[in-house]
mmCIF file of all heavy atoms in Angstrom:
data_model
loop_
_atom_site.group_PDB
_atom_site.id
_atom_site.type_symbol
_atom_site.label_atom_id
_atom_site.label_comp_id
_atom_site.label_asym_id
_atom_site.label_seq_id
_atom_site.Cartn_x
_atom_site.Cartn_y
_atom_site.Cartn_z
ATOM 1 N N PHE A 355 -15.345 9.536 12.518
ATOM 2 C CA PHE A 355 -16.064 8.780 11.491
ATOM 3 C C PHE A 355 -17.073 9.652 10.756
ATOM 4 O O PHE A 355 -17.310 9.457 9.559
ATOM 5 C CB PHE A 355 -16.735 7.541 12.094
ATOM 6 C CG PHE A 355 -15.751 6.449 12.391
ATOM 7 C CD1 PHE A 355 -15.517 6.045 13.691
ATOM 8 C CD2 PHE A 355 -15.031 5.843 11.377
ATOM 9 C CE1 PHE A 355 -14.604 5.046 13.966
ATOM 10 C CE2 PHE A 355 -14.116 4.852 11.637
ATOM 11 C CZ PHE A 355 -13.893 4.446 12.946
ATOM 12 N N THR A 356 -17.638 10.635 11.435
ATOM 13 C CA THR A 356 -18.541 11.574 10.762
ATOM 14 C C THR A 356 -17.780 12.376 9.710
ATOM 15 O O THR A 356 -18.271 12.596 8.593
ATOM 16 C CB THR A 356 -19.188 12.517 11.794
ATOM 17 O OG1 THR A 356 -19.909 11.737 12.746
ATOM 18 C CG2 THR A 356 -20.125 13.501 11.133
ATOM 19 N N ALA A 357 -16.563 12.803 10.053
ATOM 20 C CA ALA A 357 -15.745 13.546 9.084
ATOM 21 C C ALA A 357 -15.371 12.664 7.901
ATOM 22 O O ALA A 357 -15.401 13.116 6.745
ATOM 23 C CB ALA A 357 -14.486 14.079 9.767
ATOM 24 N N ILE A 358 -15.015 11.412 8.173
ATOM 25 C CA ILE A 358 -14.674 10.477 7.088
ATOM 26 C C ILE A 358 -15.877 10.272 6.168
ATOM 27 O O ILE A 358 -15.752 10.323 4.942
ATOM 28 C CB ILE A 358 -14.192 9.128 7.663
ATOM 29 C CG1 ILE A 358 -12.872 9.295 8.404
ATOM 30 C CG2 ILE A 358 -14.075 8.064 6.587
ATOM 31 C CD1 ILE A 358 -11.703 9.657 7.528
ATOM 32 N N ILE A 359 -17.043 10.052 6.749
ATOM 33 C CA ILE A 359 -18.250 9.860 5.938
ATOM 34 C C ILE A 359 -18.583 11.131 5.169
ATOM 35 O O ILE A 359 -18.992 11.080 4.008
ATOM 36 C CB ILE A 359 -19.426 9.407 6.830
ATOM 37 C CG1 ILE A 359 -19.163 7.981 7.330
ATOM 38 C CG2 ILE A 359 -20.749 9.474 6.082
ATOM 39 C CD1 ILE A 359 -20.110 7.523 8.403
ATOM 40 N N GLY A 360 -18.380 12.288 5.784
ATOM 41 C CA GLY A 360 -18.629 13.560 5.102
ATOM 42 C C GLY A 360 -17.697 13.799 3.928
ATOM 43 O O GLY A 360 -18.039 14.507 2.987
ATOM 44 N N MET A 361 -16.499 13.217 3.981
ATOM 45 C CA MET A 361 -15.540 13.381 2.882
ATOM 46 C C MET A 361 -15.789 12.409 1.731
ATOM 47 O O MET A 361 -15.209 12.563 0.662
ATOM 48 C CB MET A 361 -14.112 13.163 3.391
ATOM 49 C CG MET A 361 -13.589 14.294 4.221
ATOM 50 S SD MET A 361 -11.844 14.116 4.605
ATOM 51 C CE MET A 361 -11.810 12.607 5.526
ATOM 52 N N MET A 362 -16.620 11.412 1.933
ATOM 53 C CA MET A 362 -16.821 10.389 0.900
ATOM 54 C C MET A 362 -17.263 10.954 -0.449
ATOM 55 O O MET A 362 -16.738 10.530 -1.481
ATOM 56 C CB MET A 362 -17.813 9.316 1.391
ATOM 57 C CG MET A 362 -17.250 8.405 2.473
ATOM 58 S SD MET A 362 -15.654 7.672 2.073
ATOM 59 C CE MET A 362 -16.105 6.559 0.774
ATOM 60 N N PRO A 363 -18.209 11.905 -0.523
ATOM 61 C CA PRO A 363 -18.558 12.446 -1.837
ATOM 62 C C PRO A 363 -17.357 13.082 -2.554
ATOM 63 O O PRO A 363 -17.180 12.904 -3.760
ATOM 64 C CB PRO A 363 -19.635 13.491 -1.540
ATOM 65 C CG PRO A 363 -20.222 13.069 -0.245
ATOM 66 C CD PRO A 363 -19.105 12.430 0.518
ATOM 67 N N GLN A 364 -16.523 13.800 -1.817
ATOM 68 C CA GLN A 364 -15.348 14.417 -2.436
ATOM 69 C C GLN A 364 -14.352 13.351 -2.891
ATOM 70 O O GLN A 364 -13.719 13.493 -3.941
ATOM 71 C CB GLN A 364 -14.690 15.371 -1.444
ATOM 72 C CG GLN A 364 -15.592 16.554 -1.129
ATOM 73 C CD GLN A 364 -15.326 17.139 0.229
ATOM 74 O OE1 GLN A 364 -14.603 16.566 1.035
ATOM 75 N NE2 GLN A 364 -15.926 18.279 0.495
ATOM 76 N N ILE A 365 -14.219 12.286 -2.113
ATOM 77 C CA ILE A 365 -13.322 11.197 -2.499
ATOM 78 C C ILE A 365 -13.840 10.516 -3.760
ATOM 79 O O ILE A 365 -13.071 10.204 -4.668
ATOM 80 C CB ILE A 365 -13.165 10.196 -1.336
ATOM 81 C CG1 ILE A 365 -12.399 10.860 -0.185
ATOM 82 C CG2 ILE A 365 -12.466 8.927 -1.781
ATOM 83 C CD1 ILE A 365 -12.389 10.063 1.099
ATOM 84 N N VAL A 366 -15.172 10.314 -3.833
ATOM 85 C CA VAL A 366 -15.763 9.710 -5.035
ATOM 86 C C VAL A 366 -15.563 10.635 -6.232
ATOM 87 O O VAL A 366 -15.222 10.176 -7.335
ATOM 88 C CB VAL A 366 -17.256 9.392 -4.807
ATOM 89 C CG1 VAL A 366 -17.942 9.010 -6.105
ATOM 90 C CG2 VAL A 366 -17.401 8.283 -3.770
ATOM 91 N N TRP A 367 -15.769 11.945 -6.047
ATOM 92 C CA TRP A 367 -15.542 12.888 -7.144
ATOM 93 C C TRP A 367 -14.095 12.850 -7.613
ATOM 94 O O TRP A 367 -13.826 12.878 -8.823
ATOM 95 C CB TRP A 367 -15.909 14.315 -6.725
ATOM 96 C CG TRP A 367 -17.369 14.622 -6.923
ATOM 97 C CD1 TRP A 367 -18.289 14.820 -5.961
ATOM 98 C CD2 TRP A 367 -18.048 14.724 -8.165
ATOM 99 N NE1 TRP A 367 -19.523 15.045 -6.526
ATOM 100 C CE2 TRP A 367 -19.401 14.994 -7.885
ATOM 101 C CE3 TRP A 367 -17.659 14.612 -9.498
ATOM 102 C CZ2 TRP A 367 -20.353 15.158 -8.870
ATOM 103 C CZ3 TRP A 367 -18.615 14.776 -10.488
ATOM 104 C CH2 TRP A 367 -19.944 15.047 -10.173
ATOM 105 N N ALA A 368 -13.138 12.785 -6.673
ATOM 106 C CA ALA A 368 -11.723 12.710 -7.061
ATOM 107 C C ALA A 368 -11.468 11.443 -7.873
ATOM 108 O O ALA A 368 -10.751 11.467 -8.889
ATOM 109 C CB ALA A 368 -10.831 12.743 -5.819
#
Side-chain angles (χ1 to χ4, degrees):
F355 285 115
T356 301
I358 294 293
I359 291 170
M361 286 188 299
M362 289 309 291
Q364 294 153 350
I365 292 170
V366 169
W367 274 111

